[in-house]
Every structure is written in structure tokens, then in C-alpha cells.
Amino acid sequence: MPIEWTGSGPELLLRVDRNRPEPLGEQLESALRESIRAGRLAAGERLPSSRALARDLGVSRGLVTECYAQLRAEGYLVTRGGSATRVAAARPPVGAPSPPTALITPTAPIGSTPAGPVRVDFRPGVPDLSSFPRERWSRALRHACRDVPSDLLGYGDPYGDPVLRDVLAAYLRRVRGAAADAAHTVVCAGYAQGLQLVLRALAGEGVRVVAVEDPGDPDHRAAAATAGLDVVAVPVDEHGVDTGALAATGARAVLLTPAHQSPTGVVLAPGRRQALIAWAAARDATIVEDDYDAEFRYDREPVGALQGLAPDRVALLGSVSKSLAPALRLGWILCPPGLSADVARQKRLADRGSPVLDQFALADLLRSGHYDRHLRHMRTRYAARRAALVDALGRYAPEVEVHGLAAGFHAVAQLPPDTDERAVVEAARRRSVALYGISGYLLDPPERRTTPARLVLGFGNLTPDAISDGIATVADLLRGG
Amino acid sequence: MPIEWTGSGPELLLRVDRNRPEPLGEQLESALRESIRAGRLAAGERLPSSRALARDLGVSRGLVTECYAQLRAEGYLVTRGGSATRVAAARPPVGAPSPPTALITPTAPIGSTPAGPVRVDFRPGVPDLSSFPRERWSRALRHACRDVPSDLLGYGDPYGDPVLRDVLAAYLRRVRGAAADAAHTVVCAGYAQGLQLVLRALAGEGVRVVAVEDPGDPDHRAAAATAGLDVVAVPVDEHGVDTGALAATGARAVLLTPAHQSPTGVVLAPGRRQALIAWAAARDATIVEDDYDAEFRYDREPVGALQGLAPDRVALLGSVSKSLAPALRLGWILCPPGLSADVARQKRLADRGSPVLDQFALADLLRSGHYDRHLRHMRTRYAARRAALVDALGRYAPEVEVHGLAAGFHAVAQLPPDTDERAVVEAARRRSVALYGISGYLLDPPERRTTPARLVLGFGNLTPDAISDGIATVADLLRGG
């Protein structure tokens, strides 16, 4: 039987039910998110103390505290000083605009693979390829080949298979706190394609300039150009993207990595989340959320997607590239309802829809719970690799500051002052260790010269021993020696 | 031991070898194509009579005659009246320019599915979906999941898997007479994507207008617009695209379906092939060859790809959509060498490369000979359906002229004069038979009013009984009754 709590308004009802399979904390989080989204808990409204709510629901106080903390991280709730927890209000961006940001002009490509043998490769963005569940995926494909109705082997729905879209939407509501609706979900070939489709749909709506994080993905420039858009760079600080600087650009679209900024690893701060939503509403702007490695968070639950806060303003892009393998080329877009028909039209022009058998196989994995089990398994595995990196740096190069370890499988190592980033990368390469400097991710050329030396260390596809070996091999370089 | 024939030049050597697995005719065709392409047999050069060559090679005269006929159809050889067979010379386009062709402006979409139940659907472009080799494809995927090296599960080569590209190039050389080089082969997600990638690469080289066949694929307009290109329509007559009209457009690129024009079913005539190559050379233009259903030819061998005549000028697009199933979304582009790096760059931006497991599976099918066996099987099956269509029309509606039956699995039925195409389609629909009028494929609006009523009848996904039933049901409408 559900336990209920009735808040200040007559319509507010939070239910948790011990007979449902989801943990109580998860149920409470979902119920609160849904109430805030639906406006049943209004902006500024005060929530009961964690003690009072725990008592009313008959749950532990810790469970409520955890739940409030999670929703603060996601931007649904705010707490000022020691006062009560309230529903966050969308606020206009604050602070003076940052220095004007420059339109990006093409520069040299980055991240090109150096020549010669590499023993330990800290390339970011690559998951543990040896853990791809070959057997399970093979079985899912076999079932797909056996079960797919013949009439689905023709040219399919450009939105994607309806069964997969249903299953995906349910998964993203549950695991990512997303406001996912199968009707506005488009299956695509991974992040790169999802981005192309959304940018083209936005260009069709009159968007001309898209803001991107700096440092950020250096491919964004070319991707935007292909869609006919210009790019403007917005700095990222320790709280995530600088919302004041974003507002100063005049852009009507922005590409973000809120859960784990790529490459700095910063988690977008709650206040920034609120500011972004307010900016998007005020400017009639669209936020493109790259949710690339959010499933892997170590200290607590993953931070819910920004999309859940403002589904009308956010297009969420996700894929199986980090959870299963990049080579599958399978992803999804949760579109703002006004954009989904355009995105699906772009998908039809791009390739007439994603392969049907792969869509069946992914639906099978999600439905059977194997996808969740695989993620849990991988979280443990990445946690061990993360620990190995922290240990190795602590032991061999304690002078190095490590950031961005809250989620995903890359971290940022800040080297001692006056270290020459390029010299470190080149010297390491001569010892067969591939390192990647952050300067390759800097879009705004002036900043390229003033930033401290930082390395983006991917640890997803390296064993703990390889991580330790790699760091030991280059430790003197990292120490600025 | 090979049997050789030494022609007029010291370098010309045609070999056929009874110990090789390929039939002798196929060997002779390949040897002649290769000699012409390489310039060892020069333009205008006279070939030995079929009698003399047959004697020298110790093969039957019929074999040589067949071979000459095939290469005439493909545009490599010419015969004027009763005189000798010579190597074709690239000629400038002849004939007065056609009336000026109009730039296409968006019009209503076509081919939209009518509402209500359909018993017999003559929709063109759909292969026999029930014949998809589920078992064999499933096994190939299982092998792929088992055998793929882990390091290929990351972000792959945007050109595609090197093994598949090798196997594909060999296949296209053998079966399509293409001048295929794995180094300039890009794997893609089927025709629609291949077209996008090539059009974008061409736009990057300064092409602004692309010519398309009229009637033709109504999606071409939107596809070109997405790549930033304008479209100009060029009429198709009983010999294929009107090369004089093409020359008059000033376009520097053209999209063609030479093997079996879509939708009229015309096979591009040898003289037109020559004229096209000459046009492309004179204008520094590119021909995009959609080789969509060429594998299925009934009266003789498939006509070789235009690409084989001028690999520097032709981008050949092919896919498994007609040979296996559209839902696989797997295809290829043979790029002119100067364009392949750009096309691969566009592929990287579009989706970072096609799924690796599917590429492994297709390579497996090609290498093991299962792909060829499946095509042979399907050719027999489609031949029976084609015969059923011809029989049914002959029996129930002998007034209807049928065209375009040389290849593929659709035909064009020309209705008696003064028949109202739309009225026939609508009346048939009320009897649960879906027919598709050619007016939906007409790009040049004025022509829309003057063309005779024609239906594009797809028979690939219908059993012989369904075809017979469908034609019988609408026979009075087709007779103009």
C-alpha cells in the first residue's frame, strides 16, 4: 500500500510504495521531480524539513536528505545557508557579461594520433572495449533476426522503431530523470549524428549561431559549419559553463555537457542550471544536452539530465557509445516537442532511419534488465580504474591537482605552474605513453596561451596496472621535472 | 594454361584461362574492359571480328558476340551499321539543346500512403522482404560478435572497415564491371546517406547546381537543399537522360540511374553513356551513379556500371537495400579519387562511421559466396514475379503498354490515351489495390500536365498470385474503362 504525503496544495501527493520494485529513494525523487515539473510544487515553495517528511512517509531521514541533495544537484531544489529547502525558481542570468567571445575560425585539427608505438594510451572518450558484452549482444541480435516481422525489414519509420522508443523513454525517465516522451524520441546513429540532425533542424528554424563550451569538443566547429551555423565559444569555469558570458553572445542555441563537462569534468552547478533554463526561456533558445557518460558517477547517483527541468527547451542526446561500444553507432534524441518532426525529417534525409535489427537488440537489452546490470558492472570496473589513477598520481606525482573525477572515465590533471604542456606530451610520447593536453580542446585562441598546463586523462580503456605503469613512466614529467 | 590474343599494340594481351573459376565470357569481358580503361585499346581502335577472335582464343563465336554486345550496352564499344566493332570514343553531346529546364521549387510531397486497408500494394522500390536471409545474416552477425577484435569496437575508420572495403571492391569489379579501388571506397548507411555525403563533398568543391532525372526520385530536391545545392531537372526519354538538355543546364553534377532508370525503367543507351562521359570531362563535372537494382537483369548479364568507363568522373552509390533488405541501412560509395577524402570527412561528421558488426557480417556474406547465391536465387524469384505481371497485364489489360522490364523489380505501364492517372489510382485504392502514378515522380511542373498516364508498378514484394489478383482487380481501370 502506498504511503502518501499531502503538501501545501490540494493536488500535491507524494507516494512511495514498498511493494514496488524501485528503491524508496528513487520513488521519492521521481515523485518530487514530477511534481515540480508539473507545477504542483511551485517555484519558491518551501518543502518540509527532511525530518518531518521522513516521519510522514515512514522512511529514514537519510533517505530524504539524499533525495533533497540529489535534486539540488540537478537544479530542482535550492537551499540557502541553513534555511529551508525550496523549489528552485528560474532566475535571469546574473553577473556582468564576460569579455566578448570571438567567433571561431578554423585552426589546426587536434588530437591527431602521434606516430610510433604506444604502450599506455590515456586517450579520453574511449570506454573499456574489452568489456563489450559480445555474447549478450549476439544473442539479442539473433532474437532480432528471428523475431523481426518481415514488413519491418523495409524502409522504416525515421523516428525509429516504436518499441525501442517506448523502452528508451521509460529508461531515461527512470535513470536520467528525463521528461522523456516516446512520441518526441528519435533514434539515431550516435552523438555525432544526433548533433547534426538537431543543428539542421535549428538552422531550419532560423538559428544562425550556436554557442559551445570552451574548452570543448573541437569537432563542434566543423559539425556546426556543416549545418550552416557559426560557432561562438563560451568559457567554462569550476561551476560549468559561464552563463553570463553565454547571455552576452546573443546565440539562440548552446551545446552543453552538464553531467560531466567534456573535457574539464566539471558537473554543472545547480545555480547555473537554473540560469540556463531562464536564459533559454527569455531568448526562445534551445539547449542541446550531450549526456555522454552520465551513467558513470561514483560518489552518489548520477545527476539527472537538465532536460528534465525544461523538456520544451532542451534536446537531450545520448548513445550506447560509452555504455556498450562506440562501434554500434546507436543513439537517441529527446526532442523538444516543437522540434521533433523537423529532427525526424532530417533523419529521413540523412539515412532514412537507423538499422532495425540493432534497434530490436537494444530494446531487448533494456527490457530484460541486462543493460542496467551491465552498467552496474561497468561502474564498479571504472571505479577501480579511477582509484588506480588517483593512487598513482598521489604516489608518483603528488604535485599534480586532479579534477573532474565525479563521473565518467576521464579526469583533468593540472600540472605545476610554468610546465610546458606540449613538451610534457611530446616527452611522454617518446616513452610510449600517449597523453592529451587540454590545449587541443581550447577553442578561443587567446586563451590557448594563458591557461595552465592541463592533461585530459582517459582511464576507461586501461587496466589499473596499465594506469599505474603509465603514470609511473611519466611521473617526473608531470611533476614539472 | 591461359589462352592469349595479342592485338595491334605490343601491350595488348587478352587472356582467358579455362582453369580459373570464372566463366570464359566473364574473363574476356573483364580483360577487354580493363584494356580499354587502361588505354591499351585506344578510342576508335578496331577490334577483330567475333569470328577471328573466337578462333584465336579457341572459344565459341557466340561467346565473343555476347561479350561485344555486353560491352556495347555498357558504352565501351560501338558498331555502326554492319561495320566492324571499335572502341568507343568519348564524343561531345549532340543535338540541339532541349527547351530550358526550370529550377525546381518545392511542391506537394508524393507517394504518400493512402489511408485504409491495402490488399495488394504495387509500391515500387521494395524488395521481397520475406526472402531476407535471416538465418544466414544472424550467423554472420554471430561470427562478427565473436571475431571482432576489441580495438575495432571503438570509434572506427570513417572510410569503413578495411576488410569489407577490399571484399566490396573485388565484388564490384567482378559483378558490376566497376573500376573499384578499396582506397577510394567509403562504406555508408545506404543510398540516401551516400548521396548526402557526395553532394556535400561536391558543394565543398564549389558545385552549386546538381541536375537530376525527370521523372525521378522526388526526394532529390530536399536532399540537395540539405547540402546547400539547387536542383535542375533534365528530361528522360526512351534512351535515358537527355544529354543535350543536360549540357544546356550548366550544372556541374548530375544524379543518374543508368542501369534501370528510376522510375521509367529505361536502360541508359550506349551513345548516351559516351556523351555523358564526354560532358563530364569537358565541364569538369561529376556523375553520381545510383546503382540501386542493377543486379537483377533478366534477359542477359547486368549492364556494367557507368563508373567503370570513367572512374575519375563518376561516384557510384550502391547498397544492400534491394539485395538483402532496406532495414540493414548499409551501402557504399566508389568515389572519384579526388573526392574520397572529402566524402570520408563528411562521413565522419555525419555519424563517425558505419556500425562495425554489420560491416563484418556483409564481408562474411560476400567472401563466403552466400551473397552471390542469394542474388541468383532472388533473380529467379523476381523473374517469376515479372512474368506474372506481364501475363496478368496481357490477359486482363492488353491495351496497356509495359516498359522498363529489362532489370529490377518495377515496370512502367502506359495507360490508353486520355486516361486520367489520378482517377485510376483513386478508384484502385477504393478496391484496396495501391497503385502509384508517374506524376508523383515528375519534377518539372509543366510536364506534369502533358505526360501520358503511366503507373509505376513495383512487383518485388508481391507473390505471383498477388500480382495476378491485383491486376485482375483493377483491369477495367487500366484499360481506360
Side-chain angles (χ1 to χ4, degrees), chain B residues 229-256:
Chain B
L229 299 175
D230 286 325
V231 158
V232 59
V234 178
V236 171
D237 63 23
E238 69 274 24
H239 305 296
V241 73
D242 180 339
T243 44
L246 171 62
T249 64
R252 276 187 50 227
V254 63
L255 310 187
L256 297 176

Side-chain angles (χ1 to χ4, degrees), chain A residues 172-196:
Chain A
L172 295 169
R173 283 193 298 268
R174 177 168 58 82
V175 172
R176 302 295 306 121
D181 178 351
H184 302 296
T185 301
V186 177
V187 178
C188 66
Y191 172 72
Q193 183 179 62
L195 179 60
Q196 281 293 318

